[in-house]
Amino acid sequence: MAGRRQGPVRVDALKNREHLLRVAHDAFAEDGATSLNVIAKRAGVGAGTLYRHFPTREALILAVYRHDVERLVGEVDQVLAENAPLDAFRVWFERLAAYVRLKHGLGEALHTVAAQKVISDTYAPVAGAVARLLEACERDGSVRPGLDAADVLLLMGFLWRVGPGEEGLAQARRIMELAIDGFRP
């Protein structure tokens, strides 16, 4: 009997974990100092449930970070399906920039050794996503062949360094177009 209950319990545990990650993402977006107890309450679970999945604040922050990056990387195909390749490039980089600005709001929590390992581990999938976008743009002739995804990712880093608000977003769009002009054949 116990073996039969493992499936549903495991599915419930995975659903709880996903729900906790979404709630924590939103809470950290509002205030990087949000407590774990507040997150548990907002998620509608007890603190014990939260701590079973994420025993420390750092563990939760890193799980949210990893989850968010996986989600962004996973959106590339959908963004490409919904947009012309160069527009998909723009849309995806705007989403990445919005996320990185949120991540910076978490402050010191992402400057530990464990955090740096997670950030390092997520670099390759992000560079892979950029490579897929560039390949689509190459195929339709909107960028020149041979652009290196790592170089483009480094160059596009300006997106998360612009100022806040509409002025910052407008500046980011202008600079993105300058960069894209440099990618053209």
Side-chain angles (χ1 to χ4, degrees), residues 104-161:
H104 285 182
L106 298 177
E108 291 304 308
L110 289 176
H111 294 291
T112 65
V113 172
Q116 292 308 304
K117 178 172 178 1
V118 170
I119 291 168
S120 178
D121 290 347
T122 57
Y123 179 80
V126 170
V130 172
R132 290 199 327 265
L133 289 162
L134 289 172
E135 289 164 5
C137 290
E138 281 181 29
R139 279 192 304 276
D140 86 342
S142 54
V143 302
R144 69 176 182 264
L147 293 173
D148 182 83
D151 292 348
V152 170
L153 186 56
L154 181 62
L155 177 66
M156 299 303 284
F158 73 84
L159 285 168
W160 39 92
R161 292 182 177 88

Side-chain angles (χ1 to χ4, degrees), residues 163-183:
E166 286 303 315
E167 281 185 37
L169 293 175
Q171 182 182 36
R173 287 184 187 111
R174 287 191 311 271
I175 298 171
M176 184 186 304
E177 291 310 312
L178 289 172
I180 288 171
D181 284 346
F183 302 157

Side-chain angles (χ1 to χ4, degrees), residues 76-99:
V76 168
D77 292 333
Q78 179 182 351
V79 172
L80 281 167
E82 295 171 353
N83 299 278
L86 197 54
D87 289 335
F89 180 92
R90 290 178 180 103
V91 166
W92 191 83
F93 265 101
E94 286 177 0
R95 289 179 186 176
L96 176 64
Y99 177 67

